[in-house]
Amino acid sequence: MDRPEDPDGAGLLDETLADTVRRTGASAGALYLLDEATRVLAMTALCGVPLDVAWPWRRVPLNAPAPVSDAVRENRLVWVGSQNDMARTYPRAAASLPYQFALAAAPLPGRDRCRGAFFLLWPASHPAEASRRERGHIASAARRMARVLDEVTVPLPLPDQPRLVPVPSVAPAHGDRPSRAAADYAERLPEGALGMDLEGRITFLTTEAASLLGLEAGRLLGTRPWQSLPWLDDTVAEDHYRTAVISRDPVAFTSLRPPSTWLRFQLYPDASGISVRITRADATAQGRPPVAASLVAASASAPSGTAQGGRLYQLVHLAAALTETVAVRDVVELVADQVLPAFGADGLVLSTADAGRLRITGYHGYDQETIDRLDGLPLDTDLTPAGRALADGVPSFFADRDEMARRHPEAPRVSDKQAWAFLPLIVSGRPAGCCILSYERPHAFSADERAVLTSLAGLIAQALDRARLYDAARDLAHGLQQALLPHRLPALPGLDAAARYLPASHGMDIGGDFYDVIRLDGTTAAAVIGDVQGHSAAAAALMGQVRTAIHATAGGPPGQVLARTNRVLTDLETDLLVSCTYAHIDLARQEVLLASAGHPPPLLHGPGRRARPVELDPGPLLGIDPDLSYPVTTLSLGPGSTLAFYTDGLVEAPGVDPDRIAEDLAAHLAEQAGQDLDRLIDTLLRRARPTAHYTDDIALLLLRTTPRPG
């Protein structure tokens, strides 16, 4: 139960996360909550690692290939036992986290839906499998967090950046500062001793350490070594620090302090920080000091000397993410969620070149009035540098408003931004659009930053161009599919009907799922539901042909309807197969005749009877052999009976038994028997897919018999 001073449950969630990290022996953990509106998992609490290390994973789309999103989508514990497992299962994540560790991601099973997930990180020394005790702690923590979220009185806000939760300490307390004896001991050592917190800031160093580093202690305390010592700013030092923080294994490396002093750094991490030993190293004939054999195995988890620093790993992550975007909205969301934070930008305008004008396809950090003014500008506009950048193919960078005003006097008046980067999006030598990053404060662009942004613009251009082609194909196929599905179901006295089609949450948004109700006469009707393989325009077109064939034969015995449709399908010589259930409903006789071609059986509930999946004798899929037959099943269908037809997307999910889901939906059908059919569809969908994430298309058709008038 929430405390009065903790109405949104944030304190209890943080406490549970920290306690779970301590109980499981993990080195770090993070909590993600699901933003239902954007279908994104937002990191709301972080424990044990610096924020900049976790920054690329601050927001994870629910459809992204990542452990936390898989945990939510599939409602299961995801375990990654090693870097090899990560590279095999989640290659994109492995590219941006090239360290040795073990990881677990667990969903938060809320009362009516999954609320999010949390993950735990263990040092590289952790066994490849989670122990029974660890799994028990993880399951218990997931239930506790979900209960807190179910009982909060105020919705927990999703912050722009996660709360940093203190690392639970298992060491005895010795006060906030080292004792005099400990400091004297370190000073007497013939080598340098330095302490860093998990953020990489120097918290303690001896006189010898300052001497070896060549800078007085006062100028080093509170800084990160690779920032305060120019000769350490080569990305290698920062990367070794990140390796130590994430893997929690000892790491060793050498670096040259100009002009000729080689220094050896040995890092020893734990949950409270990193102890660093600094010694002199003699240069070898190759100009590099030898690596001590005692730490070769311990530092095996560290990347090689060619490894890039944290920012470059983040760029690898962004580049890989861009290759996986599908639609234009995916590109816009990725740039806004991940590229802007990576470069400290506050605003985004992403436009495409269309019929000689710049059409804005997405934006962030601007008001609608500004966007309306910018949308539709000609490609040769002089109002902003976007037109010139596209014409020349050369990016433009403006560190402040004065610099912008000297070349484009009107541009600073368009918005209140203070600095800009205009990145032309060029594909195969032609302008595809422009990406504008803007800043709320003046921003000096370094040569390195300009180079990286220019390279990233090329990737954005390719992704955007590919996404535009995809959107055009999807819109064409989606229009075809919507034209073929019934716009409304026919009215028939004594029979209510409702239907719903839901596309997969990611992909073409179209498929071959179909349904229909056909009025035959005043007391009889036919109902059909089916699924054509694939998600393409071809699947949608074939779906239309199957529906036409069924309409042409509707009214005959169900077995004959499917047999004739099967012959039509085999004559088309298509490579796609079709599953289908056809029902002939006779309201006067209060019965239904059913035939199935490899389709999931419908659910049936009658007043005073147990709801259940119908036991059908299914025939083969349509399109296999022209001479197949399809057996018929007869059922009684008294007033108040409900039949639920569905496609396999409703009950099939990775790691889940579809028969078990069907049994659960049948029981739910009975519990909600009095609901309006449209509402009943909503409750069935929520029951089967709590996260509203559909890995396949879903078609759902409900029929309910009612007392006939008169």
Side-chain angles (χ1 to χ4, degrees):
M1 188 64 64
D2 293 305
R3 305 184 184 112
E5 66 273 16
D6 188 24
D8 61 8
L12 285 173
L13 292 171
D14 293 355
E15 181 181 318
T16 302
L17 177 64
D19 183 62
T20 307
V21 169
R22 179 181 63 81
R23 287 176 177 270
T24 59
S27 56
L31 169 66
Y32 286 85
L33 296 184
L34 177 60
D35 184 345
E36 294 282 357
T38 61
R39 315 304 299 156
V40 166
L41 290 162
M43 185 187 293
T44 60
L46 178 65
C47 176
V49 292
L51 180 57
D52 62 336
V53 172
W55 190 263
W57 305 100
R58 182 181 58 94
R59 292 172 62 84
V60 180
L62 191 57
N63 54 26
V68 289
S69 51
D70 278 0
V72 173
R73 286 200 314 268
E74 300 171 14
N75 194 31
R76 66 180 178 90
L77 174 69
V78 174
W79 174 259
V80 180
S82 67
Q83 176 66 8
N84 288 337
D85 289 348
M86 179 68 82
R88 182 168 52 252
T89 311
Y90 304 101
R92 192 176 94 191
S96 57
L97 288 171
Y99 311 109
Q100 295 290 348
F101 55 83
L103 179 147
L108 305 181
R111 185 179 297 133
D112 56 351
R113 66 187 187 279
C114 188
R115 308 299 296 268
F118 72 96
F119 79 74
L120 299 174
L121 213 62
W122 282 269
S125 57
H126 191 281
E129 298 294 333
S131 69
R132 183 175 179 181
R133 172 179 168 274
E134 288 167 341
R135 289 179 179 270
H137 283 314
I138 292 170
S140 175
R143 289 192 296 269
R144 288 165 60 193
M145 292 183 188
R147 188 162 56 247
V148 169
L149 292 169
D150 281 337
E151 296 176 355
V152 293
T153 57
V154 177
L156 186 65
L158 300 178
D160 290 334
Q161 64 182 42
R163 301 182 301 276
L164 294 178
V165 180
V167 179
S169 177
V170 295
H174 294 296
D176 293 336
R177 297 183 179 181
S179 68
R180 184 71 254 171
D184 289 344
Y185 166 79
E187 283 290 344
R188 288 191 292 267
L189 293 174
E191 56 198 30
L194 181 148
M196 294 194 301
D197 61 19
L198 292 179
E199 299 287 337
R201 290 183 291 263
I202 298 174
T203 57
F204 168 81
L205 77 162
T206 62
T207 303
E208 179 64 15
S211 175
L212 289 171
L213 296 176
L215 203 63
E216 61 185 45
R219 295 176 61 185
L220 287 168
L221 284 170
T223 70
R224 294 178 173 89
W226 51 89
Q227 294 175 347
S228 54
L229 299 167
W231 49 274
L232 270 182
D233 187 18
D234 60 357
T235 73
V236 175
E238 182 185 358
D239 191 64
H240 283 299
Y241 145 75
R242 288 170 176 261
T243 301
V245 168
I246 295 176
S247 71
R248 296 292 163 88
D249 264 3
V251 174
F253 69 97
T254 56
S255 188
L256 175 66
R257 193 194 80 190
S260 59
T261 303
W262 285 98
L263 296 178
R264 178 167 175 74
F265 297 84
Q266 294 166 276
L267 284 63
Y268 299 92
D270 71 3
S272 63
I274 303 174
S275 296
V276 183
R277 181 183 178 212
I278 309 173
T279 56
R280 293 179 183 271
D282 294 330
T284 63
Q286 285 76 29
R288 296 300 302 266
V291 177
S294 61
L295 276 183
V296 169
S299 63
S301 61
S304 66
T306 60
Q308 301 299 305
R311 188 178 198 187
L312 294 185
Y313 283 133
Q314 189 173 31
L315 291 176
V316 170
H317 169 82
L318 295 174
L322 280 167
T323 65
E324 295 179 3
T325 52
V326 178
V328 169
R329 70 173 185 271
D330 298 332
V331 179
V332 173
E333 290 172 0
L334 177 70
V335 175
D337 288 343
Q338 300 193 33
V339 174
L340 292 190
F343 293 92
D346 305 293
L348 163 73
V349 175
L350 192 62
S351 62
T352 57
D354 182 18
R357 294 187 176 273
L358 285 168
R359 299 293 180 185
I360 294 177
T361 56
Y363 63 92
H364 176 84
Y366 285 86
D367 58 65
Q368 188 61 50
E369 183 179 351
T370 301
I371 294 302
D372 290 342
R373 186 176 180 185
L374 294 174
D375 192 21
L377 290 174
L379 291 181
D380 59 354
T381 180
D382 197 45
L383 176 62
T384 79
R388 177 63 60 85
L390 273 178
D392 298 343
V394 178
S396 300
F397 300 92
F398 301 89
D400 53 45
R401 295 174 69 88
D402 290 341
E403 186 177 352
M404 172 69 82
R406 283 195 293 271
R407 294 175 57 184
H408 299 273
E410 297 296 320
R413 302 173 188 171
V414 174
S415 71
D416 58 357
K417 303 301 182 184
Q418 303 292 318
W420 300 263
F422 288 82
L423 309 173
L425 304 179
I426 308 297
V427 178
S428 301
R430 61 179 176 81
C434 188
C435 177
I436 305 170
L437 304 184
S438 59
Y439 298 76
E440 293 181 353
R441 295 181 179 84
H443 180 86
F445 295 91
S446 66
D448 172 69
E449 194 171 22
R450 293 177 185 228
V452 171
L453 283 171
T454 302
S455 299
L456 193 59
L459 295 173
I460 294 174
Q462 295 288 341
L464 189 61
D465 192 57
R466 184 178 65 249
R468 291 177 66 192
L469 293 174
Y470 169 86
D471 281 350
R474 181 198 58 191
D475 290 344
L476 174 64
H478 190 262
L480 173 62
Q481 182 190 41
Q482 292 302 307
L484 293 173
L485 287 174
H487 295 288
R488 61 177 180 272
L489 299 177
L492 188 67
L495 185 68
D496 290 340
R500 189 78 52 82
Y501 170 78
L502 294 172
S505 302
H506 191 64
M508 273 294 276
D509 287 348
I510 59 148
D513 290 19
F514 64 93
Y515 61 86
D516 209 347
V517 176
I518 307 166
R519 180 186 174 116
L520 301 175
D521 58 38
T523 61
T524 59
V528 63
I529 193 163
D531 184 0
V532 181
Q533 285 180 329
H535 297 79
S536 63
L542 185 60
M543 176 262 282
Q545 292 172 309
V546 172
R547 285 188 66 241
T548 300
I550 289 174
H551 269 264
T553 56
Q560 290 185 19
V561 171
L562 290 188
R564 291 169 182 170
T565 303
N566 177 56
R567 283 195 289 273
V568 170
L569 200 59
T570 52
D571 287 345
L572 294 174
E573 297 183 347
T574 176
D575 293 332
L576 302 177
L577 301 178
V578 181
S579 71
C580 182
T581 293
Y582 178 89
H584 181 92
I585 302 163
D586 191 324
L587 297 173
R589 293 187 177 185
Q590 296 187 358
E591 70 176 17
V592 58
L593 306 179
L594 295 161
S596 172
H599 198 79
L603 311 177
L604 174 63
H605 174 251
R609 296 177 141 185
R610 183 181 70 87
R612 59 185 174 84
V614 175
E615 294 182 5
L616 290 179
D617 184 10
L621 295 169
L622 303 178
I624 295 177
D625 187 307
D627 299 320
L628 295 173
S629 60
Y630 296 88
V632 176
T633 300
T634 303
L635 300 172
S636 61
L637 200 67
S641 298
T642 303
L643 265 172
F645 300 90
Y646 56 90
T647 54
D648 56 10
L650 183 69
V651 296
E652 291 186 356
V656 179
D657 180 5
D659 293 336
R660 184 174 178 181
I661 294 182
E663 292 281 356
D664 180 69
L665 290 176
H668 194 65
L669 186 68
E671 293 171 3
Q672 307 295 327
Q675 275 193 338
D676 170 80
L677 288 185
D678 283 312
R679 280 190 170 186
L680 183 54
I681 286 179
D682 291 334
T683 61
L684 289 172
L685 289 171
R686 283 198 300 268
R687 185 79 174 187
R689 288 286 183 270
T691 64
H693 179 87
Y694 314 115
T695 56
D696 193 6
D697 300 338
I698 296 174
L700 186 56
L701 171 65
L702 298 188
L703 302 177
R704 179 180 289 161
T705 55
T706 60
R708 290 177 57 80

